[in-house]
Every structure is written in structure tokens, then in C-alpha cells.
Amino acid sequence: MSIPASADVVVVGAGFAGLTAARELVRLGHDVAVLEGRDRVGGRSLTTMIAGASVDLGGTFVGPTQDAVLKLAAELDCRTVPTYSRGKNLIRWHHKVRSYRSTIPRLSVIELLDVSRIQWRFERLSRQVQVSEPWNGPAARRLDQQSVEQWLRSIHASASTRNLMAIMARVTWGAEPDAVSMLHATRYVKAAGGLGRMLDVKGGAQQDRFPGGTQQIALRMADELGERVVLGAAVLRIERRPDGTVVVGCAAGQVSARAVIVTTAPQHRADIEFDPPLPKPYVDLAQHWPQGSLSKAYAAYDRPFWRAGGYSGEALSDEGPVFITFDVSPADEGPGILLGFTDARSFDPLPAHQRRAQVLSGFAALFGDAALHPIDYVDHRWGADQFAPGGPTAAVPPKAWSNYGTGLRKPVDAIHWAGTETADVWTGFFDGAVRSGQRAAAEVAELLTS
């Protein structure tokens, strides 16, 4: 596919945000070119096969109130199935494995009371945060001055509560609690509808999954768009011209357009040269809005043997590299497939055989020695990704919202911004990405018709 010389709009990135924006604009009759640096579409969605079943190396789950992505999936005939959650959950805590039911593990009475206290205080703070402009909320500056870890210690959270919050931080932002702003954490949770909505399986963000994988949604959008999507076209430069138009440059050529929508993660905007340079808050944002770091692993077995013991396949662990697991098996008769989220800091540097051995050891510590003998295995290190390396979403550090938040999504002349980090609802999720693409498309459509 060749790069067109001109278009009404150039969309940078063929993930859920970019493809949604392009789809909306094409529906309105505009000429659109989508430029993607990878050799595939999907962005942070990537589906592969293990033991003959589809699994997601990137984003996996959807749930109630994620209406934008669910509506899109339904339009494209991408069906969902419930995430398996019947039976007992497991937690590996201080070298012991215990079972529990519900979101919060069975701890001592004192520990449970402390978790409930912290959850109540966290939710109360979230109500004080403005989602659209969080730096303007009444508690904004105070919350943005401290990390989640500092806040937990300031209210005397127990060690067990801090450890549970650390697991939440790793799977949510791909970062430790001391690296994430408390303002960002409370805003993020509010955008998801609360801690329960964000963390739960039944009734929460992990309630359902796509048996054909999430990347099929992107692939079907790209099929609709046809030759408008150009792969292997990493955008290197965006020039704003005096007449209000833009020129978007790649190694293979350049496209003149009336507007551009940039959907890359905030940190990776720095990979593009802007001429003239962007205003200072936008430059600073790219330097101080880092991606988290998270990796995933799957092991497949002849059957989901843990179900026979009455276990759901959901587990938590305070020991690495696997710290949370889910059962994503296609059926009771098999294959049985365990998904494990891993701590990228210790996991990613290892050679492939050691990564496999550590994951299987972690699964075995939870589900027994049968987990040591899979029929198939695969993992993916997002930190090693050539384009937009990192985790599921931005791990925004203290003071970043207050100092650089204004550069997140406000257009700069004909340059508009999308991507899940720019969403006000379900930030960091596929639903947020779709909503951001719809918002950016509406902004550009108004610009083109004014």
C-alpha cells in the first residue's frame, strides 16, 4: 500500500482509537489516511494462538458500562463470552496458599477491616476529583503531590493492604504504588466507575472476553477502511503550515492534510518531530507521562484441571513473576488455558526458557504440579515492543497532572489527540480508546465543516 499525497485527515496509529476515528470520519464523507508504523493493526491489542485457541497478548477483557467498545464489537459481529469465574479463588500470601470467594481475599479480621477502611477512603477521595480537568479539583494539588504509596503510609495502611494495592497498581498501570500519582489513581478509578467496577470479574471490567480475541475488532475496522490504512509507515514528522494545513511525513513519503489525529501514547509523541515545536506543556507531557511496564504469559493444558478441584483459575500472589491469573479456557473439555500477568522488571530481562520456567513454577505454586506440564506456552513482553513499548497505559507520576495535564488532549491548531489516555470514561481501557477516537473525529469534523 502506498502513501497518498493528500487527504482531508491523517490519523497516526491504527489502534482502536485511530481506526475508530478514521471510521467515523469516513462515514461523514471525509477522505482519510491512517498511517501505522507496525506491520499490523490493533495497537495494544494483539491476538495469537495457543493450543488451537485464540488468546490476547495485549488487552483482553470487557465489562458492563463499556458501552462504546461493546457497541462497536456488536456492529462488527465480534461476540463475547463470560470470563470463567465459578469456584474458589486462590491467594499465595507469605508463602502460603489459601482459597477465597469475592474480590477481596480472605485475610485476618484486622486485615479485612483495614482493606475496607482504605477502600472507603479511596472512593471518598475519588468523588472530589474532576475527571475532565483533574488539576482543577478541590483536592487536586494535595493529591498530585504524593504517590499512592505515600498516601497509604500517611493514613497508616497495614502492610497487607499496601501489598494488595501494589498488585492492583501492577496490573492496572504496570507500575509500583510509589510511581503513580494519587491524583491519577483516584481519577482513573472514578473514570472506571469505582474500584469494584474496575477490579471485579462478574459485574466488572473482567466480566467478558472475546473468544476470537480483541484484535479481530481492529482487523474488521481495517478491512472496512481498506487501502486507507497504510502499514509500515511510522510517522516521523508533522509540520504545521501558515495556511492552517499540516504535512505528515514518513520514510516513504508525506501526506498533506487539513487535520491530523495523533493516537500514540503520550510518552511516544516524543518520537515525532513537530515543526514548529509544540507548546511547552505538550513537550513536557511527553517527557513526564511514562508508560507502565507489564507482560503476559499463557500456559495451555489438555483440560482445565483446576476446575475439577472447584477452583476458578483466578489467583493472586505476592511473589513474582506471576502476580495475578485468570482462566481463559474455551471449554470444560479443554484445552485448559491459564493467563498470568507478570512483573516485567524481573521477567522481561530473562531468556525465553527461564521466563517459561518461572511462569510454570508460579502456576504450580497456586494450582499444583500439574501446571508444570503444559502442552503449549506463549508470553509477550510489551517493553520489548518496537512501537510504543511499555505497559497497558500511562503510569502518571506525582505532579505530572498539575504541571503538564493541559497538554494531554487540547488541539494545537490542526493537530488533535486521541488514545485511551485522553479519555474521560474508562481511561486506559479499550472502551476509553474507542471513545477518544469518537471525540477526536467529532472535533475534526467540526473543523472541516467550519
Side-chain angles (χ1 to χ4, degrees):
M1 291 177 286
S2 59
I3 296 175
S6 63
D8 292 334
V9 185
V10 173
V11 176
V12 180
F16 277 49
L19 293 171
T20 297
R23 191 169 181 256
E24 295 290 318
L25 288 166
V26 168
R27 282 180 170 180
L28 293 172
H30 299 296
D31 182 23
V32 180
V34 181
L35 304 182
E36 167 59 52
R38 295 179 173 93
D39 60 0
R40 63 172 182 84
V41 300
R44 285 170 256 181
S45 168
L46 177 59
T47 302
T48 191
M49 303 293 289
I50 179 172
S54 296
V55 293
D56 287 304
L57 300 176
T60 304
F61 301 108
V62 291
T65 76
Q66 296 186 1
D67 302 324
V69 71
L70 288 170
K71 182 175 184 291
L72 174 64
E75 287 178 8
L76 297 169
D77 196 28
C78 299
R79 69 181 183 92
T80 62
V81 295
T83 303
Y84 189 86
S85 60
R86 295 194 300 274
K88 297 173 288 186
N89 302 339
L90 293 171
I91 182 169
R92 185 186 185 193
W93 204 250
H94 305 312
H95 309 294
K96 294 182 180 179
V97 177
R98 293 176 281 178
S99 64
Y100 69 98
R101 298 178 187 269
S102 77
T103 302
I104 299 175
R106 183 195 299 168
L107 305 169
S108 70
V109 173
I110 293 175
E111 287 172 322
L112 281 175
L113 287 172
D114 192 59
V115 170
S116 297
R117 175 179 72 92
I118 299 307
Q119 183 173 352
W120 178 81
R121 294 192 66 161
F122 193 102
E123 299 274 14
R124 188 178 68 171
L125 280 175
S126 292
R127 290 194 289 271
Q128 301 177 38
V129 172
Q130 296 181 15
V131 174
S132 59
E133 294 183 351
W135 56 88
N136 284 332
R141 186 155 293 277
R142 172 171 57 87
L143 291 175
D144 207 27
Q145 292 292 317
Q146 58 186 333
S147 68
V148 173
E149 177 71 16
Q150 289 170 327
W151 176 76
L152 289 169
R153 290 185 180 275
S154 74
I155 58 171
H156 308 294
S158 69
S160 292
T161 299
R162 296 199 309 274
N163 286 340
L164 282 173
M165 290 293 287
I167 292 175
M168 184 196 83
R170 289 170 197 147
V171 75
T172 303
W173 303 294
E176 294 298 304
D178 62 1
V180 180
S181 158
M182 188 60 185
L183 177 61
H184 181 67
T186 49
R187 178 200 179 271
Y188 193 97
V189 169
K190 186 173 184 177
L195 275 170
R197 180 77 75 185
M198 189 178 81
L199 298 176
D200 286 350
V201 174
K202 190 174 182 180
Q206 286 69 234
Q207 176 175 289
D208 300 300
R209 61 184 184 83
F210 295 92
T214 57
Q215 194 182 4
Q216 65 179 316
I217 300 173
L219 289 166
R220 293 182 186 185
M221 282 193 284
D223 285 344
E224 286 184 355
L225 293 166
E227 293 186 356
R228 298 179 183 92
V229 180
V230 183
L231 303 180
V235 170
L236 305 175
R237 190 171 189 273
I238 297 176
E239 176 188 351
R240 285 175 283 151
R241 290 188 167 175
D243 63 0
T245 62
V246 292
V247 177
V248 181
C250 302
Q254 60 184 31
V255 188
S256 298
R258 296 171 63 189
V260 59
I261 299 174
V262 178
T263 71
T264 57
Q267 176 183 343
H268 302 300
R269 297 176 187 177
D271 297 333
I272 302 171
E273 177 190 359
F274 291 89
D275 182 24
L278 294 172
K280 191 174 188 303
Y282 295 82
V283 176
D284 291 342
L285 178 100
Q287 297 172 350
H288 297 91
W289 214 268
Q291 286 299 100
S293 187
L294 186 66
S295 296
K296 296 176 73 173
Y298 291 88
Y301 305 89
D302 287 324
R303 58 184 176 80
F305 61 84
W306 51 91
R307 294 184 185 180
Y311 297 108
S312 66
E314 292 177 44
L316 299 174
S317 176
D318 65 351
E319 298 180 39
V322 177
F323 57 85
I324 188 167
T325 71
F326 293 93
D327 177 345
V328 293
S329 309
D332 283 338
E333 57 271 20
I337 301 176
L338 284 174
L339 156 61
F341 288 85
T342 66
D343 187 338
R345 296 171 301 170
S346 58
F347 184 74
D348 284 11
L350 299 175
H353 71 282
Q354 289 186 20
R355 296 198 306 271
R356 183 182 188 276
Q358 288 207 5
V359 167
L360 298 181
S361 176
F363 286 164
L366 293 161
F367 301 105
D369 286 349
L372 293 172
H373 308 290
I375 59 174
D376 205 354
Y377 171 89
V378 66
D379 63 42
H380 189 72
R381 298 171 296 157
W382 281 96
D385 195 277
Q386 180 184 357
F387 294 96
T393 187
V396 181
K399 303 180 183 179
W401 268 111
S402 299
N403 292 334
Y404 320 113
T406 56
L408 182 61
R409 75 178 191 197
K410 185 179 179 181
V412 180
D413 298 328
I415 302 174
H416 294 252
W417 313 97
T420 189
E421 285 82 9
T422 70
D424 283 348
V425 178
W426 285 109
T427 310
F429 293 77
F430 284 135
D431 190 73
V434 172
R435 290 175 190 267
S436 76
Q438 293 169 340
R439 170 192 50 76
E443 292 172 357
V444 169
E446 183 178 359
L447 172 72
L448 295 179
T449 55
S450 61

